[in-house]
Amino acid sequence: PTGNEGLDASLIKIIPECKNKGIRFSYVIFGKPVQIDSMEMGSLMNNLLCNALDACIDLHREKEIDLRIWTHENMLEIELENTVRESVFDRNPQMISHKGKKELHGFGLKTIYSIVKAYSGEYYYWEEDGKFCQNIYLNL
């Protein structure tokens, strides 16, 4: 248990999915992220991890998702990296969902930005060495 039910639920969901799809998933949690609402944390992590999982599925090389979360002072930091088939910025610079059933998808980034804003945080993403990298800072 991480101390946050939403985070626990997201991890419980993603670990077997990654195993079944041949994706190496690693995670490290430093501290207990108890200051963030569990529903918000679950929603945030579910969006981040589902997007990472989707990006890895069609790869024909090593598939990896690495998650690091830590709390320090009054801040929660989330680092997430996942391998990608091709540059997200070249293929989809606006990061618009291309999933079927549009009415059920495409809210991920809106949800992420909403939670980041609610915690007066910051959200950064970039690409490096064939990976999509994200850092989120939330003020607690």
Side-chain angles (χ1 to χ4, degrees):
T2 65
N4 187 294
E5 292 176 355
L7 177 55
D8 292 342
S10 295
L11 292 172
I12 288 168
K13 178 183 173 198
I14 198 74
I15 291 169
E17 287 185 47
C18 285
K19 186 175 182 178
N20 290 338
K21 293 177 175 32
I23 300 169
R24 184 189 61 75
F25 177 68
S26 67
Y27 68 97
V28 178
I29 314 294
F30 296 102
K32 297 231 180 239
V34 296
Q35 297 99 325
I36 184 170
D37 178 80
S38 64
M39 292 296 287
E40 289 175 332
M41 185 65 160
S43 181
L44 177 63
M45 294 312 304
N46 190 54
N47 278 293
L48 292 169
L49 291 171
C50 285
N51 288 342
L53 181 79
D54 289 345
C56 288
I57 288 176
D58 294 330
L59 287 175
H60 298 293
R61 59 184 176 89
E62 193 167 348
K63 304 171 186 185
E64 301 175 351
I65 299 173
D66 296 308
L67 172 66
R68 290 171 297 283
I69 298 174
W70 62 88
T71 56
H72 45 92
E73 298 177 9
N74 290 324
M75 182 164 291
L76 173 78
E77 184 172 351
I78 300 168
E79 289 183 355
L80 180 66
E81 297 178 357
N82 60 273
T83 49
V84 291
R85 181 179 53 199
E86 59 188 339
S87 170
V88 174
F89 299 126
D90 289 347
R91 180 177 39 99
N92 186 6
Q94 300 300 317
M95 297 183 48
I96 297 170
S97 177
H98 289 77
K99 297 175 184 174
K101 297 185 179 181
K102 296 286 184 197
E103 67 277 5
L104 300 176
H105 299 286
F107 299 105
L109 274 179
K110 291 178 187 174
T111 300
I112 292 167
Y113 279 118
S114 173
I115 294 169
V116 168
K117 183 178 178 181
Y119 286 87
S120 301
E122 298 175 20
Y123 176 41
Y124 303 100
Y125 50 87
W126 68 97
E127 293 174 326
E128 186 175 297
D129 299 327
K131 293 185 177 183
F132 187 73
C133 308
Q134 300 171 83
N135 270 34
I136 296 176
Y137 303 92
L138 302 178
N139 291 300
L140 306 172

